[in-house]
Amino acid sequence: MANASVVPSTYLQGLTPAVPEWLNKGDNAWQMISGALVCIQSMPGLVIIYAGLVKKKWALNSAFMALFAFAAVMPCWVLWAYNMSFGEKLLPFWGKAGLAVSEDFLISQTILPSTQYKNITSAATPLFPMATMVFFQYPFAAETVILLCGSVLGRMSFRAWMAFVPLWLTFSYTVSAFSVWGGGFLFQWGVMDYSGGYVVHVASGAAGYTAAYWVGPRSKEDREEFPPNNLLLALAGAGILWMGWTGFNGGDPFAANVDSSMAVINTHICTATSLLVWTCLDVIHFRKPSVIGAIQGMMTGLVCITPGAGLVQGWAALVMGIASGTIPWYTMTVLSKKLPLLQKVDDTLEIFQTHAVAGTLGGALTGLFAHPYLCSMFLTVPNSKGSFYGDDGGVQFWKQLVGAAFIIGWNVVATSIILNVIKLLIPLRMTDEDIKIGDDAVHGEEAYALQGQGRRDRTIQNGSCTVLIEEP
């Protein structure tokens, strides 16, 4: 017999501070799980992708740059950057800095600034605490910086990177986030970015490319020959990234609802299609299916669907997958070998192609395919719809391109200023000697110790004899 003294938790709704009346436990659980999935995309996902895709001598440095950024964003996020992205308006493109660590702030019900600025009814307000919202948005900011660093692997000074991360988060990411998501001018104008195609991917691609220009290229030897040291490791990281995108896009309705389900299925439709199309093009062009190419096709599919994941129908996700497997493939494989600017800048992992190009493409296609009924489930911008579903003469499509242009322009300018200020105090590049040696010179450690390669032997002087001490 059940214990009659036990009170079902549903009866406690509103009777205890831990379960206030406005709390929806299902939404809160899904939001925290989604945030955790996005965290896993970066750590360990991108950490081990970077470790596997680079040359052996850079495996440790590349992974550590990603890990450092993931950690460094958190204190900045809760001390000032969250409110600059989602708080009270300071400028049309920027929020006011403020703390997100107090008890009163974190246990109160989440308030979306976009709903406040548009005077949307409380039905659009998430039914979970601010602590959940602050946590959910944190890995988006961290992942943007980590993606950016993929452009400068193999030569950027780690000390310069340590200074760059908080500065770029403060003066670049927060502007993109507030402008598009936080109720800023792009949001007010009606630019649609469901889950970060602009805020995360176009921003990281543009900033990464700009950073690669200012830091300069890798060594001539590394540019000519840069074989991945562990493709199996990279594939494992790619799998984590892909599956983690279930939370990346599925968590952005801020509820476990129908739109969340649409976002998840569309994400996987587009990504699988993009990977298959990219692989087919590799077979046609190179006569061989490329594993690295498959990873790139997966990435462009994930990026392309992100601006419209919960806003487009399944057939549109399929079309977007075909486009994301074709257009970035062309720009990376063919166009990049013809345009002098694309040849001049050494973008180590082609972040510009896989993120800026694919993100802009996804945003433009969202401007065409966004279905009005699906938009009504998610967006707090009234009467949102793609140009295919209205008589706007393509206005929404052009709004999307203008929005991407602002994100690109701001990131180019802000990244350039930040790096040139850092350069006055800290060299942006490693020394030529460190670049030649790699991990051991930079960190005094190496990623692999195979067949005694990781052993460090040392000598000591004993009178007139030199003694060699072998260390395991």
Side-chain angles (χ1 to χ4, degrees):
M1 179 181 293
N3 187 345
S5 65
V6 176
V7 179
S9 61
T10 53
Y11 295 161
L12 298 177
Q13 194 87 26
L15 300 178
T16 171
V19 191
E21 290 184 358
W22 48 260
L23 179 68
N24 183 302
K25 293 182 180 179
D27 288 351
N28 193 38
W30 171 239
Q31 209 64 34
M32 289 193 289
I33 290 170
S34 295
L37 287 171
V38 183
C39 286
I40 290 171
Q41 285 184 286
S42 295
M43 175 59 202
L46 285 169
V47 170
I48 62 176
I49 289 178
Y50 286 4
L53 284 181
V54 297
K55 204 171 185 177
K56 175 180 176 292
K57 71 176 185 177
W58 292 117
L60 200 63
N61 179 258
S62 300
F64 192 26
M65 285 182 72
L67 174 60
F68 175 85
F70 186 74
V73 166
M74 175 53 92
C76 305
W77 189 243
V78 296
L79 290 175
W80 66 80
Y82 173 80
N83 277 305
M84 293 179 74
S85 304
F86 296 96
E88 185 180 349
K89 181 168 70 173
L90 175 66
L91 297 170
F93 53 86
W94 223 354
K96 292 182 180 179
L99 296 172
V101 292
S102 68
E103 172 193 336
D104 291 344
F105 180 81
L106 293 175
I107 68 173
S108 61
Q109 184 178 2
T110 291
I111 295 175
L112 291 175
S114 52
T115 65
Q116 303 299 304
Y117 299 146
K118 275 292 184 180
N119 297 317
I120 305 299
T121 65
S122 59
T125 303
L127 303 177
F128 49 76
M130 286 296 301
T132 300
M133 184 67 169
V134 173
F135 167 68
F136 176 73
Q137 293 295 345
Y138 149 66
F140 284 82
E143 186 167 324
T144 308
V145 186
I146 294 171
L147 291 172
L148 183 166
C149 91
S151 295
V152 293
L153 297 178
R155 76 277 202 185
M156 187 170 184
S157 159
F158 200 88
R159 288 191 300 159
W161 180 244
M162 293 172 71
F164 177 82
V165 170
L167 290 172
W168 190 85
L169 175 73
T170 303
F171 295 103
S172 195
Y173 180 83
T174 58
V175 169
S176 300
F178 186 84
S179 297
V180 179
W181 286 342
F185 79 102
L186 291 178
F187 172 86
Q188 299 285 338
W189 194 42
V191 172
M192 295 185 286
D193 182 9
Y194 182 87
S195 192
Y198 286 1
V199 176
V200 176
H201 300 295
V202 173
S204 62
Y209 201 73
T210 304
Y213 171 81
W214 289 109
V215 174
R218 289 166 290 171
S219 66
K220 182 180 179 181
E221 176 188 354
D222 282 353
R223 290 198 74 177
E224 292 176 351
E225 186 179 7
F226 204 73
N229 74 93
N230 195 327
L231 272 181
L232 291 177
L233 189 69
L235 278 172
I240 293 170
L241 192 72
W242 184 348
M243 295 306 106
W245 226 280
T246 300
F248 193 99
N249 286 344
D252 263 298
F254 306 129
N257 60 16
V258 172
D259 199 42
S260 177
S261 299
M262 282 296 298
V264 170
I265 190 65
N266 282 339
T267 296
H268 293 283
I269 290 172
C270 182
T271 304
T273 303
S274 181
L275 186 154
L276 295 174
V277 170
W278 193 294
T279 300
C280 289
L281 290 174
D282 276 349
V283 170
I284 294 170
H285 188 76
F286 299 110
R287 306 296 179 187
K288 292 180 181 180
S290 167
V291 174
I292 296 177
I295 294 174
Q296 303 281 34
M298 176 206 79
M299 186 71 74
T300 56
L302 291 167
V303 171
C304 184
I305 193 60
T306 293
L311 310 178
V312 302
Q313 298 183 71
W315 66 262
L318 191 66
V319 172
M320 292 172 77
I322 295 171
S324 64
T326 305
I327 295 175
W329 180 91
Y330 176 78
T331 61
M332 185 184 299
T333 306
V334 180
L335 197 61
S336 64
K337 294 178 173 58
K338 296 180 179 181
L339 295 181
L341 179 61
L342 293 178
Q343 291 177 317
K344 181 179 180 180
V345 178
D346 180 21
D347 183 354
T348 306
L349 296 184
E350 302 284 3
I351 301 300
F352 178 80
Q353 305 285 355
T354 55
H355 294 274
V357 172
T360 302
L361 174 65
L365 292 176
T366 298
L368 296 177
F369 297 141
H371 193 280
Y373 184 66
L374 294 174
C375 288
S376 70
M377 292 184 183
F378 171 74
L379 286 180
T380 51
V381 181
N383 304 317
S384 297
K385 57 187 173 182
S387 293
F388 279 180
Y389 297 95
D391 54 358
D392 65 354
V395 170
Q396 186 63 49
F397 175 79
W398 291 109
K399 280 185 179 182
Q400 296 295 108
L401 292 181
V402 172
F406 171 79
I407 298 297
I408 291 170
W410 182 272
N411 278 276
V412 168
V413 172
T415 304
S416 297
I417 293 173
I418 291 167
L419 286 170
N420 278 280
V421 169
I422 292 174
K423 187 168 65 174
L424 298 175
L425 305 172
I426 306 170
L428 296 180
R429 291 176 63 84
M430 303 175 190
T431 65
D432 291 342
E433 182 180 358
D434 286 353
I435 291 176
K436 183 176 182 180
I437 296 171
D439 289 342
D440 190 41
V442 179
H443 302 288
E445 301 163 318
E446 295 183 356
Y448 305 106
L450 305 176
Q451 298 178 347
Q453 294 176 4
R455 187 181 67 196
R456 295 176 179 276
D457 297 339
R458 60 190 178 91
T459 60
I460 61 172
Q461 197 72 24
N462 184 10
S464 59
C465 300
T466 300
V467 180
L468 175 66
I469 298 178
E470 295 183 354
E471 297 185 356

